[in-house]
Amino acid sequence: MSFSVESFKKQFPLFAQSENGELVYLDNAATTQKPACVIDAIADFYRHSNANTHRSSHRLARRATDMVEQVRARAVVFLGAASPKEIVFTRGATEGLNLLAYSLCSQLQPGDQIVLTTAEHHANLVPWQMMAERYQLELRYVPDTRGVPHFDRVAEVLTPRTRIVSTTAGSNALGFRSDLKAVHAALADKNIHWIVDGAQLAAHEHVDVQAIGCDFFVCSAHKFYGPTGVGLLYGRERLLRAMPPWQGGGEMIADVDLYSNHFADLPHKFEAGTSSLAAIAGLGACLEFLGQQDRAGMARHEQQLLHYIHDRLGQIPELDLLSTADNNLGIVAFTHPRCAAIDLMQWLDARDIAVRVGHHCAQPLVRATGHSATLRASVAAYNTRDDVEKFVAAVADFFAHLDDDVEVQREAHTGTESADWQGDDLGALDIGALRAQRNWQDRYRTLMGWAKSVSRKDSIRRDENLVRGCESSAWLVHRCENGLHRFALDSDSRIVRGLGALLLLRLDGQESGAVVRADLESLFAELGLEQQLSESRANGFRALLERAFLLMQQQ
């Protein structure tokens, strides 16, 4: 068996569609595309086997029930579990982690401790934080350097009160693999439950939970070529038996009267209600599909791409690579001091290159690197060297086209607060001309051009002026002069500065009551910004708008 990226990619219908013929899809850490066999299995279930499971005894119900248990048996092999009783179907890794947090913590005592790392996805932070508050538990963190945990120092934070250690198998923000062997060694012969968040791991290498030595393991099908809405929770049978269920309802009980109940046997005790049966059918096809692939060849191909992309990006001046190619699960992450990541993402999107920008639901880790957002490109086995070439070329082209004169002017500006309040030069901007633009691409270019009219204002870049709700950093201040409302605005993002210029055109220098918020919202909709901007960008404009009107009301 040998791996061919061309043959592998042909199995994914999305790439064969004419509108996606030039698509470079590098957002695989968020979700992967689906092979035809997965899509067909979902449709086939609805066409031929749609019925509820484990309840009715008619032919369709028996067929659906058999399908679910066959997929569970495949999952045993996929994860290296010991028995089907150790496999619970969930909606994904997030639900699996919530299940574990709720069920395990309900058995703890106040003052018991949970050990986590700074690198965790929010799904492996927030549930534990919620349970710690509910049950008066203590959260402790593995030592780290700029957010990257020192897994060889796990033992330093363990105490006689440590009951749970929950760690990621690999960072979804920076891509590094966790040293699971070091964690296992630290926990050997200790009565501590060890949970592994394998959301990023399962797509890139063979998983063997017994070899890892963990007590629990969670993953999401949609990150390893399967459907959304279904995931796997592995747990040691003896531990699952001792845990209370986290949801009650149909399917998870053996007997119920008006005042008591008896839970069903494993694993059904943890599968309340009707699962996403079609998604489970798709998961079964996915597991069969992966079993037919050269997984080692897929991994080698991905590693070659990772090394190549890191090498090429490393040649771009000023670009700050936050990830490294070695020991990486498929992710490259970077920032650049002369632009906001969201501006580069929009540039790439216009060239049919899909990447991800933000904190990636890993805010503590991203903040520990010294940033609030990064650009993340993540590879899968269907990505090609040509994909990487197009991506790197587009990134380099973006930086080559940065308006150096404007950026130098902005960086050189260190004016006083009074200088900042001299106002921006918005006189040449024309909303009528923006309205006249026939398509979104022209309007977007116009707004990016308007960003040049909003100068840098270091004196207002303070926490108290930060606009909450903007994905990029934005600052807005206000004062009233001779009955007129005056504003000063700044942002690290060019598109936000362009949107800010649009806002200031309608607000700056106006009397109270001269502008109605609904009029600005109507303008936003009329220009098509609601449909064309990403949700985070649209929310950013609304956050600026809300902040502006709040400041005017407080005056």
Side-chain angles (χ1 to χ4, degrees), residues 239-256:
L239 298 179
L240 290 176
R241 288 197 180 281
M243 291 164 49
W246 83 301
Q247 290 181 321
E251 190 70 22
M252 51 75 65
I253 51 87
D255 183 71
V256 175

Side-chain angles (χ1 to χ4, degrees), residues 476-478 487 546-555:
L476 183 69
V477 294
H478 164 268
F487 292 90
E546 183 175 343
R547 175 70 173 170
F549 275 85
L550 178 63
L551 291 172
M552 287 191 292
Q553 292 168 5
Q554 292 175 344
Q555 186 65 41

Side-chain angles (χ1 to χ4, degrees), residues 81-96:
S83 161
K85 294 183 183 295
E86 296 185 329
I87 300 296
V88 177
F89 289 119
T90 65
R91 290 186 298 131
T94 296
E95 183 172 84

Side-chain angles (χ1 to χ4, degrees), residues 399-411:
F399 293 125
H401 284 79
L402 277 177
D403 191 336
D404 292 330
D405 291 338
V406 172
E407 295 301 321
V408 168
Q409 174 187 347
R410 285 170 54 79
E411 290 182 0

Side-chain angles (χ1 to χ4, degrees), residues 289-554:
F289 167 78
L290 287 174
Q292 297 169 348
Q293 307 305 315
D294 176 8
R295 298 295 301 276
M298 291 167 63
R300 285 193 298 270
H301 170 68
E302 291 172 352
Q303 288 302 305
Q304 290 169 359
L305 291 181
L306 271 177
H307 279 81
Y308 185 61
I309 197 171
H310 278 85
D311 179 64
R312 291 292 308 279
L313 289 175
Q315 299 172 28
I316 298 178
E318 299 182 78
L319 188 143
D320 184 11
L321 266 175
L322 303 175
S323 58
T324 59
D326 293 332
N327 201 35
N328 189 312
L329 284 174
I331 288 171
V332 57
F334 64 89
T335 63
H336 194 282
R338 290 198 294 128
C339 78
I342 187 66
D343 293 337
L344 174 55
M345 186 277 286
Q346 296 277 9
W347 168 276
L348 294 172
D349 182 51
R351 285 149 184 81
D352 219 9
I353 300 172
V355 295
R356 181 61 57 100
V357 161
H359 51 66
H360 317 297
C361 296
Q363 282 182 294
L365 174 58
V366 172
R367 287 171 178 161
T369 69
H371 303 281
S372 60
T374 70
L375 188 143
R376 181 188 74 186
S378 47
V379 303
Y382 44 59
N383 288 122
T384 65
R385 194 178 180 94
D386 187 52
D387 288 342
V388 172
E389 291 285 4
K390 290 179 180 177
F391 168 66
V392 174
V395 171
D397 192 39
F398 173 83
F399 293 125
H401 284 79
L402 277 177
D403 191 336
D404 292 330
D405 291 338
V406 172
E407 295 301 321
V408 168
Q409 174 187 347
R410 285 170 54 79
E411 290 182 0
H413 177 75
T414 56
T416 64
E417 183 172 355
S418 60
D420 283 342
W421 276 101
Q422 291 176 359
D424 294 308
D425 183 14
L426 306 177
L429 308 186
D430 183 0
I431 291 180
L434 186 64
R435 279 196 179 102
Q437 300 284 2
R438 293 187 175 183
N439 55 57
W440 161 247
Q441 288 80 5
D442 290 340
R443 286 177 179 167
Y444 179 76
R445 282 192 289 270
T446 298
L447 287 171
M448 291 291 279
W450 282 15
K452 302 174 185 178
S453 302
V454 178
S455 63
R456 178 167 179 139
K457 304 173 182 64
D458 291 319
S459 68
I460 75 168
R461 290 190 169 205
R462 302 171 182 170
D463 287 344
E464 61 266 28
N465 301 327
L466 193 65
V467 179
R468 308 297 174 184
C470 279
E471 187 174 55
S472 301
S473 296
W475 300 267
L476 183 69
V477 294
H478 164 268
R479 65 173 58 165
C480 197
E481 294 178 349
N482 300 320
L484 302 179
H485 294 285
R486 306 308 305 267
F487 292 90
L489 178 144
D490 195 11
S491 175
D492 61 357
S493 166
R494 294 181 73 180
I495 187 60
V496 172
R497 297 202 304 273
L499 291 168
L502 173 64
L503 185 67
L504 295 185
L505 276 175
R506 283 300 184 91
L507 292 182
D508 193 55
Q510 298 297 315
E511 296 180 351
S512 295
V515 180
V516 180
R517 176 171 176 165
D519 293 340
L520 278 165
E521 291 174 340
S522 296
L523 175 64
F524 188 73
E526 176 192 344
L527 293 172
L529 303 181
E530 181 80 33
Q531 292 76 30
Q532 299 298 336
L533 285 174
S534 67
E535 182 178 358
S536 59
R537 294 296 94 197
N539 288 340
F541 180 83
R542 296 189 193 95
L544 284 171
L545 184 60
E546 183 175 343
R547 175 70 173 170
F549 275 85
L550 178 63
L551 291 172
M552 287 191 292
Q553 292 168 5
Q554 292 175 344

